[in-house]
Amino acid sequence: MRDILPALRAWYAAGSPFGLATVVAVSRSAPRDPGAAMAVGPGDEVVGSVSGGCVEGAVFELAQEVIASGEARLETFGYSDEDAFAVGLTCGGEITVLVRRVSPADDPTFGAVADSVTAGRPVTTATLVDGAAPRGATLAVWPLPGPDPGPATPVPGVQEAGIQEPGAEGPGAQGPDSQRPDPADPDRADPDRADQGLGARDLDAQEPRTPDSAAPDPAAPGQEAQDLGAPGPVAPASDRRTGPPGGADPDHGIAGSLGRAGLDRVVAADVRAGAVPGGTGLRHYGPDGRRCGNAVTVFVRSFAPPPRMLVFGAVDYAAAVARVGGFLGYRVTVCDARPAFATPRRFPSGVEVVVDWPHRYLSGQATDERTVICVLTHDPKFDVPVLEEALRRPAAYVGAMGSRRTHDDRLERLRAAGVPEPALARLRSPVGLDLGARTPEEVAVSVAAEIVALRRGGSGVPLTARTGAIHPR
């Protein structure tokens, strides 16, 4: 729903009812995952998709009926050999879609949920699919209130990292035996910066800069990260705020209701305990929330903060990789120790740009099993220290640019630094799939293809060379 949220927020703020269709169950070779959404708003405007085009026409008509009646509907679309001309999925799959009317009067929780998703705060919705209460009734659940660790997402633009003196304590501190480059050491300065009139000590001496432009409106088209399937683990505390926004129950972190207080309590507890695999799916309960019953069916949808993509090296390839990373729904940060290269004007709007030594910046960041790390500096004095740090921490993907000769040399340096073989086996280098890419944009597509294949378990071979379901379940 993230990709259509700007339109939904605008309609909701204007008090205009809209029909929201959500995929709540799929089987066989269905094209979209549970949680995929389509909405029909004022003037019959359509945003989003539930099937990639197969049943959108029927869902459009269904949404119009729901807007007029106010009664939620549940419909299943599949393929019938007996009636090939019926509305359905020609791919042979099956999807079940819940369509409900949304407005401030119909769903008072939607505004708070939309605010949390836009701000990158974790929130989960539970919507009644079948049961005693009206279909479409919604409960929103936030993490229980706790200390506010700060903004969920930094202001895009330049962020000057604090440069510590050798021997200082903290994430960026280095011991006397460290072989990593230190910007305070002129003997280890970047030789490329000499021609720019930027000595190594200049990085320490510079005053913090302000971004060239204000942060983009999170509700503007193109600024919302897209859903990435199963949200995965909840982001570290440094990447999220806890507790509900204004309007929700501050003592229990919930808003709305599924019709019965006992059911609300049990569903909220299950959400916080991670009882729904992947954070999205159907759950069944007894009328009052008993976990052994099937009288009530609830669709649970979790919104975790967007995963991070950390790009090291502010080269021309980095701008293309950052652009495709944003398209895939990542919160992108580009880091380089050279201020002349790490400028916001060289990168897409919304990308965070940091001036710091890559390994030092990474050592102070929280990563998890969804994080993507791309090392594009193509220089051993940057590559080796940041890869040594990256391969020792959780991450979904660690890739490094370079030729095979560069890769072999890099492996030897990493082994000499003490990186064990199991960690080295995680390194994707040379980065990307073999597409014959040449331009920065083509290389970015190659990198993105490898990331998606790794995340989804794809083979990377042409579909024409394979048989069986394209979207196996």
Side-chain angles (χ1 to χ4, degrees), residues 28 172 245 275 299 354 373 376 402 420-421:
R28 299 192 297 277
F299 177 68
V354 174
I373 299 173
L376 310 179
E421 292 300 322

mmCIF file of all heavy atoms in Angstrom, residues 28 172 245 275 299 354 373 376 402 420-421:
data_model
loop_
_atom_site.group_PDB
_atom_site.id
_atom_site.type_symbol
_atom_site.label_atom_id
_atom_site.label_comp_id
_atom_site.label_asym_id
_atom_site.label_seq_id
_atom_site.Cartn_x
_atom_site.Cartn_y
_atom_site.Cartn_z
ATOM 1 N N ARG A 28 -1.406 -20.810 -5.606
ATOM 2 C CA ARG A 28 -0.786 -21.189 -6.875
ATOM 3 C C ARG A 28 -0.018 -20.002 -7.472
ATOM 4 O O ARG A 28 0.651 -19.275 -6.739
ATOM 5 C CB ARG A 28 -1.822 -21.769 -7.831
ATOM 6 C CG ARG A 28 -2.494 -23.041 -7.279
ATOM 7 C CD ARG A 28 -3.299 -23.765 -8.344
ATOM 8 N NE ARG A 28 -4.415 -22.983 -8.857
ATOM 9 C CZ ARG A 28 -5.601 -22.915 -8.237
ATOM 10 N NH1 ARG A 28 -5.793 -23.554 -7.097
ATOM 11 N NH2 ARG A 28 -6.577 -22.201 -8.763
ATOM 12 N N GLY A 172 33.483 5.056 16.005
ATOM 13 C CA GLY A 172 34.459 5.319 14.966
ATOM 14 C C GLY A 172 35.892 5.303 15.471
ATOM 15 O O GLY A 172 36.819 5.648 14.743
ATOM 16 N N PRO A 245 0.830 7.370 17.401
ATOM 17 C CA PRO A 245 0.722 8.815 17.215
ATOM 18 C C PRO A 245 -0.515 9.337 17.915
ATOM 19 O O PRO A 245 -1.288 8.593 18.521
ATOM 20 C CB PRO A 245 0.621 8.950 15.695
ATOM 21 C CG PRO A 245 -0.027 7.674 15.273
ATOM 22 C CD PRO A 245 0.492 6.613 16.213
ATOM 23 N N ALA A 275 3.250 -13.478 15.887
ATOM 24 C CA ALA A 275 2.588 -14.754 15.626
ATOM 25 C C ALA A 275 2.239 -14.957 14.165
ATOM 26 O O ALA A 275 1.960 -16.075 13.743
ATOM 27 C CB ALA A 275 1.310 -14.857 16.473
ATOM 28 N N PHE A 299 -7.350 -10.354 8.778
ATOM 29 C CA PHE A 299 -6.185 -10.161 7.918
ATOM 30 C C PHE A 299 -5.243 -9.186 8.606
ATOM 31 O O PHE A 299 -5.601 -8.041 8.912
ATOM 32 C CB PHE A 299 -6.589 -9.610 6.555
ATOM 33 C CG PHE A 299 -5.409 -9.316 5.655
ATOM 34 C CD1 PHE A 299 -4.625 -10.342 5.152
ATOM 35 C CD2 PHE A 299 -5.073 -8.004 5.331
ATOM 36 C CE1 PHE A 299 -3.536 -10.079 4.341
ATOM 37 C CE2 PHE A 299 -3.985 -7.730 4.514
ATOM 38 C CZ PHE A 299 -3.215 -8.772 4.020
ATOM 39 N N VAL A 354 26.299 11.339 2.915
ATOM 40 C CA VAL A 354 27.128 11.471 4.118
ATOM 41 C C VAL A 354 28.588 11.591 3.721
ATOM 42 O O VAL A 354 29.072 10.833 2.865
ATOM 43 C CB VAL A 354 26.944 10.253 5.048
ATOM 44 C CG1 VAL A 354 27.907 10.319 6.223
ATOM 45 C CG2 VAL A 354 25.509 10.176 5.544
ATOM 46 N N ILE A 373 24.125 -3.622 1.205
ATOM 47 C CA ILE A 373 25.368 -2.850 1.241
ATOM 48 C C ILE A 373 26.065 -3.000 -0.111
ATOM 49 O O ILE A 373 26.380 -4.118 -0.529
ATOM 50 C CB ILE A 373 26.296 -3.320 2.376
ATOM 51 C CG1 ILE A 373 25.600 -3.142 3.734
ATOM 52 C CG2 ILE A 373 27.624 -2.568 2.342
ATOM 53 C CD1 ILE A 373 26.376 -3.734 4.900
ATOM 54 N N LEU A 376 31.130 0.561 -4.026
ATOM 55 C CA LEU A 376 31.434 0.937 -5.409
ATOM 56 C C LEU A 376 32.674 1.807 -5.512
ATOM 57 O O LEU A 376 32.949 2.369 -6.578
ATOM 58 C CB LEU A 376 30.229 1.694 -6.014
ATOM 59 C CG LEU A 376 28.854 1.037 -5.855
ATOM 60 C CD1 LEU A 376 27.784 1.920 -6.487
ATOM 61 C CD2 LEU A 376 28.837 -0.345 -6.478
ATOM 62 N N GLY A 402 34.137 -4.288 -9.185
ATOM 63 C CA GLY A 402 35.530 -4.495 -9.543
ATOM 64 C C GLY A 402 35.703 -5.645 -10.510
ATOM 65 O O GLY A 402 34.808 -6.482 -10.662
ATOM 66 N N PRO A 420 37.041 -14.402 8.164
ATOM 67 C CA PRO A 420 36.982 -15.851 7.953
ATOM 68 C C PRO A 420 36.315 -16.204 6.620
ATOM 69 O O PRO A 420 35.566 -15.413 6.041
ATOM 70 C CB PRO A 420 36.138 -16.342 9.138
ATOM 71 C CG PRO A 420 35.308 -15.175 9.531
ATOM 72 C CD PRO A 420 36.134 -13.953 9.247
ATOM 73 N N GLU A 421 36.574 -17.430 6.149
ATOM 74 C CA GLU A 421 36.047 -17.872 4.853
ATOM 75 C C GLU A 421 34.524 -17.864 4.781
ATOM 76 O O GLU A 421 33.965 -17.472 3.747
ATOM 77 C CB GLU A 421 36.582 -19.272 4.523
ATOM 78 C CG GLU A 421 38.079 -19.315 4.243
ATOM 79 C CD GLU A 421 38.475 -18.440 3.059
ATOM 80 O OE1 GLU A 421 37.705 -18.392 2.075
ATOM 81 O OE2 GLU A 421 39.543 -17.816 3.125
#
